[in-house]
Amino acid sequence: MTEPLIFEHSRAGRYARAQAPNVRAELDLPPSLLRKSAPNLPEVSELQAVRHYTRLSQLNFSIDTHFYPLGSCTMKYNPRACNKLAMLPGLVDRHPLAPASHSQGFLQCMFELQEMLKSVTGMKAVSLTPMAGAQGELAGVLMIRAYHHARGDHHRNEILVPDAAHGTNPATATMCGMSVVELPTDADGDVDIAALEKAVGPNTAGIMLTNPSTVGVFERKIERIAKIVHAAGGLLYYDGANLNAILGKVRPGDMGFDVIHMNLHKIFARGRGGRGPGSGAVGVGERLKPFMPIPVVAQEEGKYRWLDERDLPQSIGRLSAFMGNAGVLLRAYVYMRMLGHDGMKRVAEFATLNANYLAARLKAAGFQLAYPGRRASHEFIITLKRLARDRGVTAMDVAKALLDYGYHAPTTYFPLLVPECLLIEPTETESKEALDGFIDAMCDIMERAVRDTEQLKGAPYTLPVRRLDDVRAARKLDVAWRPDSAA
Amino acid sequence: MTEPLIFEHSRAGRYARAQAPNVRAELDLPPSLLRKSAPNLPEVSELQAVRHYTRLSQLNFSIDTHFYPLGSCTMKYNPRACNKLAMLPGLVDRHPLAPASHSQGFLQCMFELQEMLKSVTGMKAVSLTPMAGAQGELAGVLMIRAYHHARGDHHRNEILVPDAAHGTNPATATMCGMSVVELPTDADGDVDIAALEKAVGPNTAGIMLTNPSTVGVFERKIERIAKIVHAAGGLLYYDGANLNAILGKVRPGDMGFDVIHMNLHKIFARGRGGRGPGSGAVGVGERLKPFMPIPVVAQEEGKYRWLDERDLPQSIGRLSAFMGNAGVLLRAYVYMRMLGHDGMKRVAEFATLNANYLAARLKAAGFQLAYPGRRASHEFIITLKRLARDRGVTAMDVAKALLDYGYHAPTTYFPLLVPECLLIEPTETESKEALDGFIDAMCDIMERAVRDTEQLKGAPYTLPVRRLDDVRAARKLDVAWRPDSAA
Amino acid sequence: MAFIPHTQGDISEMLAAIGAASINELFDEIPESLRVDDLPGIPEAIGEMEITRLMQARAAQDRGALCFIGAGAYEHHVPAAVWEITTRGEYYSAYTPYQAEASQGTLQLIYEYQSMMASLTGLDVSNASLYDGASAVAEAALMAVRANRRSKSRRILVPRTLSPVYTRVTSAIAGTQGISFERVDFDVATGTTPLAALSEWEGEDITALVIPQPGFLGCLEDVDALTDWAHAHGALVIAVVNPLSLALLRPPGEWGQAGADIACGEGQPLGVPLSSGGPYFGFMTTRMAHVRQMPGRIVGRTEDLDGKPGFTLTLQAREQHIRRSKATSNICTNQGLMVTAATIYMSLLGAEGLARVAAASHANTRQLADALCTVPGVDRAFATPCFHETVLKLDRPVAPVLKGLAEHDILGGFDLSADYPELGHAMLVCATETKTAEDIASYGRALSTVLKQLKVA
Amino acid sequence: MAFIPHTQGDISEMLAAIGAASINELFDEIPESLRVDDLPGIPEAIGEMEITRLMQARAAQDRGALCFIGAGAYEHHVPAAVWEITTRGEYYSAYTPYQAEASQGTLQLIYEYQSMMASLTGLDVSNASLYDGASAVAEAALMAVRANRRSKSRRILVPRTLSPVYTRVTSAIAGTQGISFERVDFDVATGTTPLAALSEWEGEDITALVIPQPGFLGCLEDVDALTDWAHAHGALVIAVVNPLSLALLRPPGEWGQAGADIACGEGQPLGVPLSSGGPYFGFMTTRMAHVRQMPGRIVGRTEDLDGKPGFTLTLQAREQHIRRSKATSNICTNQGLMVTAATIYMSLLGAEGLARVAAASHANTRQLADALCTVPGVDRAFATPCFHETVLKLDRPVAPVLKGLAEHDILGGFDLSADYPELGHAMLVCATETKTAEDIASYGRALSTVLKQLKVA
Ligand SMILES: Cc1ncc(COP(=O)(O)O)c(C=O)c1O
Ligand SMILES: Cc1ncc(COP(=O)(O)O)c(C=O)c1O
């Protein structure tokens, strides 16, 4: 099945008439301000729009239809209740600037969410406003910067980042006007301590770490690292994308981190709509409290209200027009309440069980683990470098082949330091049967890679399209349909 | 894509824990009353259930994904608002026995719906309770029976039904203890008047007609028919499944009908969920008013209340435990308000335009219309008897072939009097492009039927399954999965 | 033109292809004398925005009461997943799966549903739904008459413990085919049907006996004795059951020596919202021996041309579209969407989840009765075991008490005095798993306030 | 274990395969000293039924006010179809389309979205969304610095008519990279940015000029003059626009002689509910010449191995996952679901529907202002043409008036006195197409009541 562009369904003069006022009101505007020709929006009936976008939806893999072990992305089940309850009338139609008198229900949820996140992370205060992990990182590094500036340490402008780190870490440091110092990862997947000791110094603003790290192992020397960085006057930033793996087992605050972001859209599952929205709530230790991004909810005599620049004059400020992705936060709140404290611990336990099981079984089947001596956290890496060398079959080939089995591919080519890698994260909500099916598919692919290499490299065969030409996409850039580009 | 049975996903001990109380309360019941072993229900997680039923849904054709010209079924667009508004809290959670003090919002909708249906049909009163067309028919024939009985005419036990009638008509007559007298259809698709004149008599209870009829033409002699039946002491029943075709153009009440049912789930579009629910509201003329099924909503001094057996002592009684398919009725109410009077007329106009266009184009392309001399109403019939004779390609073969083009097949082999027929109803919500695409597919199929008959007869090829063995289904009856039947 | 996609250009081209000058010309076969040109009773069209606001206002009028009414419709928690999936366009906007290859999703789902209902009721085969519980009893009665070839009497015994409205609906629907529905009395002391009440028909030709479990008064019947009595008299047994209760109670297929022959009832408790009384769905299961007498659609598993398993409608020769006046029933459109919801609901809950919901409802109703019986003037009517409904007796007429409670936004129960005058001032109450201890306590408080006020008045 | 499917048997088998004695053992690399074993601040788990009731109660607390606040978030009718489709599992539970072949639905939708936004703004290319309108302006500023190679100054002019909160967000996000944001004053008589206000920078090296249309005070700017001034000074033009207004107003691509260079803003008016402020989405479009400086994802149309058209993420070398510290932005997760909703919204409404919504909002705001200005003590602040927001001046402080209105369940507007003290007692009001004549009249009545009461007090 393929589906034409919505523009190809267009005929002049059509639209969903029940959805707009039945007359066009007169304008009290000078003609010079008005547009001369109508924009090229689709002209379709309500049925045509519904049918088109329903059909398009079916051309997607998703959690609700497929196992989706995309490493670092924590593609777990999003309880339907989270969506439904966040969209209740009263919540979904509340104006962001409604006065406190008309906001107590919402504010109470946000306050309790802040409190729960504090307790999960061991941090001292939480601001919910960042709108994704990367914006949480931005908030965090800006706070680190503000902290040093407040102490007159204007020269502290270096952020240490392990080479395995997610791309948002170095990109964020740059956005905050910092320079990035890359740290090597040792053969076991831990930070190279000697290199770290060499790297720290008077210009060190801080370090950005995720633990468990993006190579899927727990950084065992975390206390040592904290000591080294703190001793050098730097602060520790925790990239909470992987917090899922350690919920209720160990807390970033206890590891020595000064600031943390949490990808609530991963950990506290919520619909990500093909690429967001997210939430990157930040937690801080005592030192960074004055610098938190605003607004933050406070409770005073049983009433809730927003704290703003008047309450937090040293704040790094606002990162969004209102208070961030409220709807995502409501979904996280609902999910956390449904998990409860025991449920949260189980998230970590079963995410870890699933990852270690999958790793053990794949290893037994002949796949090469990137860090075979280590426990997997909630995710792990296999490297296909032997297959690539011997057969010319790459990680990308295996990823595409998996699609034909009805499995979304794991993350490919990240982290960059492991050649031909697949970063696999099954998550706790998948059953053993789902994992076993995936293992069978991997073994079958491996066998086909040897038996019929060329056939395998042509995968996928059963999807709406075969392998797409990315080079052509970038070279013959076609990023918008125009009436004159119609066939 | 195929999907295992939900039972094949089962593992002992699993269920969606967030959906049930977290303990099993103790029972105060004697053990002799309790079941000894648990029923074989699926044991799956919430994700597994969601994934399974989401995947199953994708194995369906539907209005929201496909053109669906199923004659007599009026498969038109169901505005999403109808569903959303019928499921508003306050409506979706209202107990059917809630007192009038807590029901005024709902009752007002129902009252206004009754009034609108009166005006659309020209009838004098409306009862909303029948739960589908067939139950509306039952109500209608029971009222006819009650009317005759009330007059002491206990011998009137014959119901006249044209041979083209929908199966529910004769089946209903039987269910009401009537005997069925079949009337032939003439070559133009009208009722054979001579045969009618012969058929009526002192035992005639009434006649069941649909107009436009199930052969897709308007019964031109309807006034004559009404006169003949009424003169014989019989009453006229209108099967309102085809009311869509004449909304705002002509009213059953004006044609002389004494009672009518309306398939609200077709005319006033609402989701039919793969086979229902429906609604078969009935309208009556003055004579049958006392016999209407209860309950009916009345307005008294600005308040609404249910009329019951005390108000309508001659009522044929209740046909459901409460008041019928309230949710379907709410959807119809919303839809009618969105159409308004002009919109209703347009329903008939464009349903008729689409049918006549499709008929004209197919005829021009060489297809044989069953009633070529007639205007199509909202639907029309083509017969493939020549193709069946010359090539052995049946209406069923063409129907199956259409599926491969992404079109649901028209109704096949109904009405029975037209050999190898397809009853085609495009509905007013389909665009000219959709019709043109269908015409192209039909022409292509016709060409293939000649060029490559066997290949065509093997269709469909692109669906989740190929043609299914219905004979085997009936012979080796497998209508329920059991643990011991597992592969 | 809301929902109509035609452009002016389309209309002209289409009329040209037809050879008509105007759309109106297409109606030229309708006699002039009958034509209308306006629909005076229909208001102007309003947009989705306006109707949304209107419906929100209407809905708000009826909101917010705490409901302890059962009497055939039960408030249960419905998981969000149920209706989010059920209303997916592919389920919501499809129709009867006449083209099986294009409807495998719906057909497989019905097959799964049939399997679940068969197992829940302990019988072999289920149909794909009937309209509702009441009409299902009528269909079961008609089916029993067809299925019980040995009985010639067309007499069906209907206990007074069957819901009075079910009894009325059964007569209305099935009453014109020469069947005599005969009422079996109940024991005012136990709220159940004693075997002794059947002595009147001892030794007669009885076609079928209806056995409700639980009875309308909430009490659990001695289904074994009743079933065996019926079978001993050559009568079929029609079990009328609450499907949720079957998570706990012995299924009809295991009643007595031989089990009930037909089970039917209201499917609403399985994931269908209260929704003012409908759409719900009637279910029906039976033994394989009677499958050809079943009304309604049935889905079977079969194979395709390549031998691959698939699903299709089967045994259609029973149905109106084939058999016409000789069909087992006139039913055509059924309550499919509700079956979709129920199937998802049962899959989510499983046997254990269903048992917990049932047990919590049972326990809550007990607690409710305990709490209310501490109010002076309120008493239990029966000591018989019950599922999740029970009868309370008041020391004064029920109607004004319920009215008083409604003013406190509490819908206190169902007034039994019209249907069961011999019980005096009796009302039926129900507390499902949705009711908290605090809800029950508020009912208790409101009841004692109301009773005090009424005394004063 | 809610949401966890493992049976006891599964757990044992899995541990055996791993070679671990217990799940806890899997955490043995975590230093003992750091382990916790409890989460004291987290309450017990509650079921979906309980959380549903809780959230309904919370939602009910905040319901029912009539809202005339705009100030960056606008209440519009959102067709039911938008969110029923957007929340379909296949959209809702997917992630970034890294595997293009398995995400053609999402990718094609984004391509369609990009096409719509490009046309709406009159520019060539759109990204796939940024976080929100405010942060989009920050990204646009950073982009302008990269794109304007001729300018060395890193000076960006920001009019006071840009939303004050957008200005603050822009500084917070983009303020650490040596960019100087310089404020351009506005004319208190017209509520707009006069050309004269730019004279201060005459002849200087300016990197970019931000032009909001409409301005935060609702008034429409002379975008042609401002654009031409900027281009004459070698500065790029960053248009900050309400996308709904572009159904009526001249698009940024056609401003002045050469058109704006970057357009961005808040996408919320296009089918996204108010939802307490988010998730919304920021949009951004630009000329093809600057595409490599754009932040965010971009989808392109290409071909597959068989030459069939298909869609994929393109120009990824701009992004953080490839370019790391040299990326155009750190953005990774964006607001995709909102883009899905907006794309469906725009498809339903089309150009004509959008124009009607925009025109109705414009007309309603005029009527609102007319109605309120009949109340003594209330006056229009400006005579300048506006889109759908306007400033009213009161004869006394705004805050207590708004508070009084809130007691009548009317959210009367946005108090401007903190951000624009020179306007006196000024508030910004907005009436979109959702407001009826009766709504406007009730506001008028409530306002006169409140003003009378406050006088008395
Ligand atoms: C390890 C890690 N850090 C940071 C991020 C960035 O988070 P977001 O995509 O929410 O901006 C991600 C997201 O993929 C991640 O996996
Ligand atoms: C002409 C006609 N009459 C009656 C009916 C029966 O209506 P229902 O299916 O709602 O019972 C139908 C339904 O298909 C029909 O097409």
Side-chain angles (χ1 to χ4, degrees), chain D residues 344-432:
Chain D
I344 299 172
Y345 178 82
M346 287 189 278
S347 297
L348 286 167
L349 276 285
E352 176 62 24
L354 224 54
R356 288 184 181 203
V357 171
S361 303
H362 168 79
N364 278 347
T365 296
R366 253 171 54 208
Q367 276 153 33
L368 175 68
D370 288 349
L372 300 186
C373 288
T374 63
V375 179
V378 182
D379 227 330
R380 275 198 173 74
F382 313 111
T384 318
C386 69
F387 170 47
H388 70 4
E389 274 180 294
T390 194
V391 178
L392 299 180
K393 285 195 175 187
L394 304 185
D395 60 1
R396 69 198 83 182
V398 173
V401 176
L402 290 178
K403 193 150 178 284
L405 287 167
E407 280 159 22
H408 289 77
D409 270 341
I410 285 174
L411 311 185
F414 180 77
D415 184 354
L416 292 165
S417 38
D419 290 310
Y420 298 92
E422 60 271 65
L423 293 178
H425 306 313
M427 71 174 179
L428 186 66
V429 297
C430 174
T432 63

Side-chain angles (χ1 to χ4, degrees), chain B residues 71-73 131-137 165-169 210 214 239-242 261 263 265-266 278-280 379 414, chain C residues 95 98 131 297 320 330-334:
Chain B
S72 207
C73 295
M131 291 179 286
Q135 212 188 37
E137 295 174 30
H166 194 264
T168 49
N169 293 185
T210 134
T214 54
D239 174 341
N242 294 345
H261 89 257
N263 296 54
H265 51 301
K266 299 174 176 181
S279 163
E379 61 192 358
F414 173 76
Chain C
Y95 204 26
Y98 292 120
Y131 301 130
R297 313 261 180 210
Q320 47 73 28
N330 71 340
I331 192 167
C332 175
T333 294
N334 60 23

